[in-house]
Amino acid sequence: MNRTPRTLWATLTTAALAIAAFAMLGTQAPDTATASSSDPAASAARSADPAAPASRNQQQWPTLRTGAQGSAVTALQQLLTARGHSLTADGSFGGLTAAAVQAFQTEQGLQADGVVGPDTWNALTTTLRTGSQGDAVTALQQLLTAHGHSLTADGAFGGLTSAAVQAFQKNQGLQADGVAGPATWKALVTTPAGARPSTGNTGTGQNATHSTSGYTLKFTKNQNHPMYSTLALVHNGKAVKAYRANSGMGSKDTCLSNEGWLPNGTYKVKGHETNRGEWNYNPNVQIQGYAIQLENKTCTPAPGQMPVTRTDMFIHSEMLADGTQAVDVPLKEDDFWRWDADFDYKSNGCIKLKPADLKDLFTRLDQAGWPKNLALQVS
């Protein structure tokens, strides 16, 4: 049948439009990535899909109870202190910590079981921003340092802390506003301690990412109470054991040889001994028995002053060369080769633990085979 050109063109155009519409209707399907959350079937499907990426904001608070160890416990103890329940932030969840948790839970109208779950964490954490001060800020700073953003844990939220919060938030996919709110606290506590900021560079240059595998020693200074600082043994980014420790005689001046605590930075472990001194009461060897030797470190003082090299640095305790305790000398408050009391945490610039803790650390490192690249991180 003959058609005029105009009629034929109209027919072809209509057919083309119909085919296009049919193709669109036939291929269009609901976008499960953007489907409405009001659709329970779609939500359930996304939840059940193991390949679906989980939001970092959906991480669960860790449940802590008696016997727990690590940086999350340290943060818990500092947050409890900030809420009026004073504790030593030693990273060890013992009876005193459990009692403080129960007291706080009672105040908040929560189940007072001494177990720290989501409700207790949410009640403990408080939003911090520039200008905030106190133990909660100290907890924030130490958590940030544990995640590779080195800060002085002085309890004052200033520009450096704000910048570290923003960097951490950006790395975690959070709103990088420098304000530590609930999502930031949860990410800090749930992300393994020791995790470093991602730089997007996997090479070996200065911007290469830092590996968190293996064993590391980490000394965290307590700015408010130096004698209650912490030495932790970290494995694969997680603190497996934390000990009360101190560095120096109480001075925060890192350039004061034999007096101040260690300068911040990373130290190579040069060696270890269980019988340093070779014979008991050797007057020429101040550090005897169990000792871990650290490399020297140059401290950069205030502008205009000469650099100071800190030498003869160890992780040690007070004991005889065979690891035993010296005889208690009557009327002498501090026996040189005997652990007498808590004031014995003072040290000539080294890191000092009580004998039982130092021997426990040696036992754990013996079991790990004393890793060749073992290092100490001081912050």
Side-chain angles (χ1 to χ4, degrees):
M1 181 172 58
N2 295 330
R3 297 179 182 269
T4 63
R6 178 172 297 179
T7 302
L8 180 59
W9 175 254
T11 301
L12 291 173
T13 302
T14 302
L17 290 172
I19 292 171
F22 179 81
M24 290 179 64
L25 289 172
T27 59
Q28 187 174 4
D31 180 0
T32 57
T34 58
S36 170
S37 60
S38 62
D39 181 356
S43 297
R46 289 196 301 276
S47 299
D49 181 7
S55 168
R56 300 193 187 192
N57 293 335
Q58 294 176 349
Q59 292 172 316
Q60 298 298 313
W61 285 109
T63 298
L64 302 180
R65 50 172 53 86
T66 301
Q69 301 272 352
S71 60
V73 177
T74 301
L76 167 68
Q77 292 165 328
Q78 289 168 328
L79 289 170
L80 285 166
T81 297
R83 294 303 187 105
H85 302 277
S86 182
L87 290 169
T88 298
D90 58 4
S92 179
F93 197 128
L96 293 178
T97 300
V101 169
Q102 287 180 299
F104 176 77
Q105 289 171 327
T106 299
E107 294 170 358
Q108 298 295 313
L110 303 173
Q111 181 180 355
D113 56 4
V115 178
V116 183
D119 291 340
T120 303
W121 278 116
N122 287 327
L124 272 171
T125 52
T126 181
T127 298
L128 302 175
R129 51 175 50 86
T130 302
S132 298
Q133 294 191 354
D135 290 294
V137 177
T138 301
L140 173 69
Q141 291 166 326
Q142 291 190 346
L143 283 169
L144 286 165
T145 296
H147 287 82
H149 305 275
S150 184
L151 291 169
T152 298
D154 57 5
F157 197 128
L160 293 178
T161 301
S162 178
V165 170
Q166 286 180 292
F168 175 78
Q169 290 170 327
K170 184 176 180 180
N171 183 258
Q172 294 294 310
L174 303 172
Q175 181 181 354
D177 56 6
V179 177
T184 301
W185 276 109
K186 184 182 289 188
L188 279 166
V189 172
T190 56
T191 305
R196 297 291 177 178
S198 175
T199 63
N201 186 330
T202 58
T204 58
Q206 292 181 345
N207 293 326
T209 56
H210 296 267
S211 172
T212 60
S213 62
Y215 284 89
T216 303
L217 295 169
K218 185 172 180 60
F219 180 69
T220 304
K221 300 172 181 177
N222 187 325
Q223 294 287 338
N224 296 324
H225 305 287
M227 295 293 174
Y228 288 89
S229 298
T230 302
L231 178 70
L233 176 62
V234 179
H235 183 227
N236 292 339
K238 181 178 180 180
V240 295
K241 184 68 175 181
Y243 311 93
R244 179 184 166 186
N246 181 50
S247 167
M249 303 296 287
S251 172
K252 299 179 182 179
D253 185 353
T254 59
C255 294
L256 187 60
S257 294
N258 299 323
E259 292 286 341
W261 57 17
L262 268 63
N264 290 356
T266 300
Y267 297 71
K268 293 180 181 178
V269 171
K270 297 177 63 177
H272 64 281
E273 304 172 73
T274 58
N275 59 345
R276 180 175 168 77
E278 298 180 357
W279 58 280
N280 294 339
Y281 298 106
N282 184 343
N284 296 318
V285 181
Q286 292 187 355
I287 296 174
Q288 297 199 104
Y290 287 65
I292 299 174
Q293 187 174 7
L294 306 173
E295 68 174 333
N296 297 340
K297 180 70 69 173
T298 299
C299 170
T300 303
Q305 296 181 351
M306 295 293 292
V308 175
T309 300
R310 299 290 300 274
T311 61
D312 298 321
M313 293 188 294
F314 296 85
I315 300 173
H316 69 103
S317 187
E318 282 191 349
M319 59 179 67
L320 297 174
D322 62 1
T324 62
Q325 293 283 280
V327 176
D328 186 8
V329 178
L331 303 180
K332 187 174 182 181
E333 183 180 20
D334 185 10
D335 295 312
F336 198 72
W337 289 304
R338 178 183 180 85
W339 186 268
D340 293 292
D342 279 355
F343 57 76
D344 277 350
Y345 279 100
K346 291 183 178 180
S347 160
N348 291 336
C350 303
I351 293 178
K352 195 172 184 182
L353 286 72
K354 66 180 181 182
D357 288 346
L358 183 60
K359 290 181 178 181
D360 182 76
L361 176 61
F362 264 71
T363 298
R364 293 173 183 272
L365 286 171
D366 284 341
Q367 294 171 348
W370 284 90
K372 294 181 179 180
N373 296 324
L374 184 64
L376 167 73
Q377 297 174 355
V378 178
S379 60

